[in-house]
Amino acid sequence: MGREHWKKIWVGSAGNMVEWFDWFVYASFATYFAGAFFPDGNDTAKLMNTAGIFAVGFFMRPVGGWLLGRVGDRKGRKAALTLTVSLMSASAVLIAIAPTYGVAGYGGAVVLLVARLLQGLSVGGEYAASATYLTEASAPQHRGFASSFQYVSMTAGQIVGLGLQIVLQRTMSDDALHSWGWRIPFIIGALGAAIVFYLRRNMLETEVYEESGDDTPAGDKGTIKALWAHKREAFLVIALTMGGTVAYYTYTTYLTKYLSNSAGLPKQTATLVSFCALIVFACLQPLAGKLSDRIGRRPLLITFAVGSTFLTVPIMTLLKHAGSFWPALGLSLLALVVITGYTSINACVKAELFPTSIRALGVALPYAIANALFGGTAEYVALWFKDAGVESGFYWYVAGCAAVSLVVYLTMRETRDIDLKRVAVPDQEVETVPSRVA
C-alpha cells in the first residue's frame, strides 16, 4: 500500500478512535456517574436507568445513519466525516457539564439524554462514513486489511478510555470519582474531537467516489428511493449484523460491568481484564482482515457465527465463576478471538454490497437499525435478565442471535472480488462476483 493510502487510513481511523472513545466512556464510567443523575435506590436499577439512556443513543443511530449517509453520498465521504465529529464534540461537552440530581433534579438526566441523542446521530453516520471511506481508499486486493482498521480504531478508543479509567482509579479516591472525576474523560473527548475536526477538514476524498461511474441521477443519490432499489442488500446488512453486534457489545462495553456485578471481581480488576483483552483484540483485526483478502470474507464470518453460537453459554457461565484476573482474561480473550471473524471484515463486506451512489446510506441505515435493535439493547437486556433472577437467559439470547446470522453467512455471496466501481445495479445484468481486480 502506498503512502497516500496509509494517510487516508490514518486520518479516517484517528477520527473514528475519538468518536468511539466518547461513545464508550459513557458505558465504562457509568458505574461512577449512575448515582449522580438519579435518586438513591437499588444499584442495579440505577445502572438500568443509565443503560436505558445508553440504548436511546442507539435508537438515534438510524436517524444519524439516514442523515449523514445522505450527506456522504451527496457531498462526499469527507463532508460526512467532518460533520460526525462536530456532533460528537458537542455531546461530550454536554455530558462534561451536566448538572447532578442534587443540583437540578432530573434536569441533569435530561441533559444526559440530549447528549446521548447527539452521540447517536454522530455515531450513526460515523460507522458508515468511515467504513465506506476506509474501503474505498484502499487498493482492491487490500480492502479487508485496510477496513479492519475501523475496529482497530474503535477498539483503540475504548482502550484509551479504559486506560484513563485505570489511571483515575489509581490516582483518585472512589468518592472523588463518583463525585466529579467521571467528568474528566468527557472533557478529554471534546478536546480530541476538536483536533480531529481540523484533521478531517484537510483530508482527501476517495478516488472511487470522485470517479464514480454509475449513472444514478444526482437527485437520487443517498435517498431512500435509491436504497429501496437495493432492499435485498439492505436487509442482508441487518441480518448479518445481528449476531455480530450483540456479541461485540457483550464482550466489550458490558464485560466490565459483568465481571464486577456478576462475577464479583473488584472494579479495578474488571477494568484491567477488559483493557488487556482489548489490546490483543485490536492487534488481531488487521491479521484477520489480511486473511480475508486471501481466502474470502465468508469463511471468517462463518467461523465467528459457529463459535459464538456454541461457545457463548459456556464462556459466560465460566466467566461468572472466574474469581480472579487470569481466568477472566483467558475467557475474555477466547470470546474476542471468536468475534474477530466478524469485527475485522464486517465494514468492507457491507460496503462491497452497494454501488458508490448509495454506499454510505446503504451501509449506514440498515446497520444502524440492527444496532438499535440488538447492539444498543444488549446491555439493557443483560441487566433485565439479571434483575429477573435468570441471568443465564442472556447467554442463550446472544447465542441465538449468532445462530440467525450463521444462516445468513451460509447463504450469502462472497464479496471479496467485487469491483467497487462496478457493483451490480438493479435491472442490469452484471456479474454477481466479477473477476478479481488486480
Side-chain angles (χ1 to χ4, degrees):
M1 294 178 65
R3 181 179 178 182
E4 204 63 46
H5 283 129
W6 277 112
K7 181 179 179 181
K8 290 179 180 179
I9 290 172
W10 154 244
V11 175
S13 297
N16 203 35
M17 182 184 75
V18 173
E19 287 266 358
W20 290 93
F21 168 85
D22 287 339
W23 181 261
F24 282 122
V25 290
Y26 179 97
S28 60
F29 279 85
T31 54
Y32 290 103
F33 67 73
F37 297 103
F38 302 99
D40 292 336
N42 181 275
D43 287 341
T44 299
K46 290 180 182 179
L47 283 175
M48 287 183 71
N49 286 330
T50 53
I53 293 178
F54 183 76
V56 165
F58 277 86
F59 284 101
M60 283 300 291
R61 287 174 67 164
V63 179
W66 166 73
L67 177 64
L68 296 167
R70 182 181 175 90
V71 171
D73 286 326
R74 287 185 167 230
K75 304 297 183 181
R77 319 314 187 198
K78 174 183 174 180
L81 287 169
T82 303
L83 183 55
T84 61
V85 78
S86 301
L87 292 172
M88 185 60 76
S89 179
S91 68
V93 170
L94 281 177
I95 296 176
I97 65 173
T100 63
Y101 181 83
V103 173
Y106 284 107
V110 171
V111 173
L112 190 66
L113 177 62
V114 171
R116 285 297 295 176
L117 293 176
L118 286 177
Q119 283 191 336
L121 282 173
S122 175
V123 176
E126 171 66 26
Y127 174 88
S130 60
T132 301
Y133 187 86
L134 290 172
T135 302
E136 291 182 348
S138 59
Q141 66 271 25
H142 298 305
R143 287 202 301 254
F145 174 75
S147 64
S148 71
F149 281 89
Q150 181 175 47
Y151 268 83
V152 172
S153 57
M154 286 173 62
T155 306
Q158 189 172 7
I159 289 171
V160 173
L162 286 172
L164 178 60
Q165 187 173 16
I166 291 172
V167 170
L168 294 178
Q169 285 173 338
R170 282 159 173 71
T171 57
M172 299 179 66
S173 67
D174 196 59
D175 288 341
L177 275 172
H178 281 85
S179 177
W180 60 271
W182 59 265
R183 297 182 187 271
I184 294 175
F186 297 103
I187 295 172
I188 293 174
L191 294 174
I195 295 172
V196 172
F197 176 80
Y198 172 77
L199 291 175
R200 285 187 167 178
R201 286 193 64 185
N202 294 282
M203 72 193 300
L204 300 173
E205 188 57 82
T206 67
E207 293 179 6
V208 171
Y209 179 80
E210 291 181 331
E211 301 174 5
S212 174
D214 77 57
D215 55 2
T216 302
D220 287 346
K221 290 184 176 181
T223 63
I224 298 297
K225 174 186 175 183
L227 179 59
W228 188 248
H230 299 272
K231 54 184 176 294
R232 181 182 181 278
E233 288 78 8
F235 285 115
L236 182 61
V237 169
I238 293 175
L240 68 87
T241 300
M242 178 181 177
T245 192
V246 171
Y248 177 74
Y249 281 99
T250 296
Y251 293 118
T252 55
T253 59
Y254 180 61
L255 180 64
T256 303
K257 297 184 186 67
Y258 180 73
L259 292 175
S260 177
N261 294 336
S262 297
L265 295 180
K267 288 181 181 178
Q268 293 87 343
T269 302
T271 303
L272 187 60
V273 168
S274 294
F275 180 77
C276 294
L278 287 172
I279 289 177
V280 177
F281 178 65
C283 294
L284 290 174
Q285 304 309 298
L287 298 177
K290 192 173 185 63
L291 179 62
S292 79
D293 286 327
R294 291 181 174 273
I295 68 173
R297 321 298 189 211
R298 290 180 67 248
L300 271 71
L301 291 172
I302 292 170
T303 299
F304 148 71
V306 170
S308 191
T309 299
F310 294 103
L311 294 179
T312 294
V313 174
I315 287 176
M316 294 295 286
T317 302
L318 291 171
L319 270 174
K320 187 172 184 178
H321 303 285
S324 61
F325 173 81
W326 289 108
L329 178 61
L331 290 165
S332 300
L333 284 175
L334 175 59
L336 290 173
V337 167
V338 169
I339 67 172
T340 292
Y342 166 80
T343 56
S344 60
I345 59 171
N346 81 94
C348 67
V349 170
K350 294 162 189 170
E352 288 166 344
L353 291 172
F354 298 94
T356 304
S357 62
I358 196 65
R359 185 168 293 130
L361 181 61
V363 175
L365 187 56
Y367 172 79
I369 290 173
N371 264 273
L373 294 175
F374 304 105
T377 58
E379 182 177 325
Y380 194 85
V381 170
L383 291 171
W384 182 86
F385 274 111
K386 177 178 174 60
D387 198 48
V390 286
E391 190 167 29
S392 61
F394 177 67
Y395 315 160
W396 291 100
Y397 169 75
V398 176
C401 290
V404 172
S405 288
L406 174 59
V407 175
V408 177
Y409 303 152
L410 290 171
T411 57
M412 69 180 288
R413 63 177 177 173
E414 177 59 61
T415 62
R416 177 190 61 172
D417 297 319
I418 287 175
D419 183 347
L420 293 182
K421 295 180 181 179
R422 298 179 63 248
V423 177
V425 295
D427 303 322
Q428 293 184 13
E429 292 185 3
V430 182
E431 291 181 83
T432 301
V433 183
S435 300
R436 185 78 185 272
V437 180

